[in-house]
Amino acid sequence: MNSGDTAWVLISSALVLLMTIPGLAFFYGGLVRRKNVLSILMQCLIILCVITLQWVLYGYSLTFGPDAFKGIIGGLDWAGLRNVGLQPNADYAATIPHYAFMIFQCMFAVITPALIIGTYAERIKFSAFLAFTLLWATFVYNPLGHWVWGMGGWLRDLGALDFAGGIVVHTSSGISALVLALLIGRRIGYDKRTFTPHNLPFTVLGGALLWFGWFGFNAGSALEASGGAALAMVNTWVATACAALSWMFAEWMIKGKPSMLGAASGAVAGLVAITPAAGFVGVMGAIVIGLLAGIVCLWGVNGLKKLLGADDSLDVFGIHGVGGILGAILTGVFVDPALGGTGVYDYVANKVGDFDMATQVIAQLWGVGTVIVWSGVVSIVAFKLVDIVIGLRVAEDEEREGLDVTSHGETAYHH
């Protein structure tokens, strides 16, 4: 056991918790109209509570527990945290208590479905949100986490690299968001007027907290207080700055003015794109990934969104889906030692293996493609199930009045 590693992972767990609430809560909360801000804050808070319980009871065991079926799902050996304790689990992190690894991973399980709420913001029933979130966590997140990160997971064995969740967290939530936006339909009045954010300072505050917490997300994923953690932290910091700049300058050229919302969105796009690559690429690779992320995700929320015609309210797909896919594929390029990357460690030979970019990019594409299909299909099934049993969307008059009053009996602001 190493007290420095343990301290770092425990602190990182707290940092990732901060990303969901207040980070994401305020980032999303500022983007909706004032009649719906509490509904967003409530969803972020309750996801934290619901997924925590799901994770302890069975989610952690399904994701990281001993493989139960051909690399597809963990068993229930660790249900209720049985056999998870104070001693390290050498398969995952040899120098920290198993509890520390478990809680760190729980924070990832929390924020992933929380990202999705931005797509159906302002029009989903609270009960339907609860049911969908639980189904999604169990049938999308838990299997995907096992495939990519679990011992014996089939995508892990295939060689797909995902340092901190570009595939497992961002691609999965982004694709699910696109599916949900298409299925739930547009907000009332979507075609007739633009919905402007009710509080951009909230969004900037939330974005800043996300960036702050993301150091735990990415650098914590080294699972030790090491050079690898330092590299991940530097890459996270630099790529994010580059993406905010490239989005801002691109928007400035296109629209004539650099916007605060654009700069904040660009920063998040950079955070997303560097996530799968953070511990694997050199700093120059991180700069390229960041610069590309700002421009590609700007296209994702403007050009691609119009092509698809979906009302993805807070651009979950355009930023997390597009950015996650971009970052995951570029990880396969910039991990190359010739481009300043770490290369891929061969644990059997106990050294960095010979690098073949084509093989690695194909492994990344397998990871991305699998997640797109799985999260897309399961999201459709979960949506249909919840829609049949509960009904997903609030009544039209409730949507017009706002979810704060109609779903929660409260208002954020008193006139």
Side-chain angles (χ1 to χ4, degrees):
M1 293 266 270
N2 180 303
S3 58
D5 293 347
T6 302
W8 171 237
V9 174
L10 292 176
I11 290 288
S12 292
S13 304
L15 283 167
V16 183
L17 168 65
L18 179 102
M19 289 171 69
T20 302
I21 187 159
L24 191 71
F26 274 82
F27 185 78
Y28 279 174
L31 291 171
V32 294
R33 291 166 290 176
R34 59 187 291 156
K35 62 186 179 182
N36 293 313
V37 56
L38 292 178
S39 72
I40 291 286
L41 303 184
M42 179 73 166
Q43 286 169 23
C44 285
L45 173 65
I46 295 305
I47 274 184
L48 168 64
C49 304
V50 167
I51 299 299
T52 292
L53 192 58
Q54 188 264 9
W55 193 248
V56 167
L57 292 178
Y58 65 89
Y60 179 61
S61 193
L62 292 180
T63 311
F64 289 98
D67 189 68
F69 185 74
K70 299 187 162 115
I72 291 171
I73 198 75
L76 292 175
D77 299 15
W78 296 351
L81 302 188
R82 196 170 69 241
N83 306 319
V84 176
L86 305 178
Q87 294 309 309
N89 179 296
D91 285 339
Y92 293 116
T95 60
I96 63 174
H98 196 168
Y99 276 138
F101 178 78
M102 181 279 301
I103 191 173
F104 179 67
Q105 291 299 341
C106 180
M107 298 311 170
F108 283 69
V110 165
I111 196 167
T112 310
L115 294 172
I116 301 173
I117 70 172
T119 198
Y120 50 59
E122 308 196 294
R123 59 200 188 282
I124 194 170
K125 284 184 190 168
F126 188 69
S127 52
F129 143 79
L130 278 172
F132 178 81
T133 296
L134 207 52
L135 285 170
W136 194 89
T138 305
F139 294 103
V140 178
Y141 189 82
N142 297 157
L144 287 185
H146 188 73
W147 299 351
V148 177
W149 290 332
M151 287 312 290
W154 72 276
L155 284 171
R156 176 180 178 145
D157 289 351
L158 201 70
L161 298 175
D162 188 4
F163 192 74
I167 298 174
V168 179
V169 175
H170 298 290
T171 304
S172 68
S173 59
I175 293 298
S176 298
L178 176 61
V179 166
L180 288 177
L182 291 166
L183 290 173
I184 198 170
R186 299 166 173 189
R187 288 167 291 179
I188 296 168
Y190 179 73
D191 305 325
K192 298 181 182 64
R193 55 199 162 90
T194 50
F195 295 140
T196 49
H198 90 283
N199 191 329
L200 274 178
F202 267 15
T203 298
V204 177
L205 172 69
L209 288 165
L210 280 169
W211 193 341
F212 178 69
W214 223 294
F215 287 131
F217 198 79
N218 285 359
S221 290
L223 300 171
E224 50 189 22
S226 62
L231 174 68
M233 191 150 180
V234 170
N235 283 339
T236 302
W237 165 56
V238 172
T240 306
C242 290
L245 288 172
S246 69
W247 185 308
M248 180 192 78
F249 280 115
E251 186 183 55
W252 200 350
M253 283 162 63
I254 296 161
K255 297 185 179 171
K257 290 194 173 82
S259 75
M260 180 68 250
L261 177 58
S265 301
V268 175
L271 289 163
V272 168
I274 198 61
T275 291
F280 296 130
V281 303
V283 179
M284 295 310 291
I287 288 176
V288 177
I289 289 171
L291 291 172
L292 283 171
I295 294 163
V296 174
C297 293
L298 171 64
W299 167 75
V301 304
N302 289 314
L304 185 57
K305 186 176 179 176
K306 287 192 180 70
L307 283 175
L308 295 166
D311 178 13
D312 175 6
S313 311
L314 311 181
D315 293 312
V316 186
F317 172 69
I319 292 177
H320 296 276
V322 173
I325 291 166
L326 177 77
I329 295 167
L330 291 178
T331 300
V333 175
F334 289 105
V335 69
D336 187 346
L339 297 175
T342 60
V344 182
Y345 202 80
D346 180 346
Y347 286 96
V348 182
N350 224 4
K351 62 180 176 59
V352 174
D354 297 327
F355 185 75
D356 177 30
M357 191 185 291
T359 306
Q360 191 56 52
V361 170
I362 288 166
Q364 299 305 101
L365 289 168
W366 264 104
V368 167
T370 304
V371 169
I372 289 172
V373 173
W374 182 255
S375 55
V377 170
V378 179
S379 296
I380 293 170
V381 175
F383 177 95
K384 295 291 185 197
L385 268 174
V386 175
D387 203 27
I388 291 164
V389 178
I390 300 175
L392 232 96
R393 196 162 172 161
V394 296
E396 199 170 307
D397 57 328
E398 291 181 18
E399 189 178 330
R400 289 185 195 282
E401 194 177 341
L403 302 187
D404 291 3
V405 169
T406 58
S407 294
H408 306 293
E410 300 170 292
T411 51
Y413 309 101
H414 296 285
H415 298 293

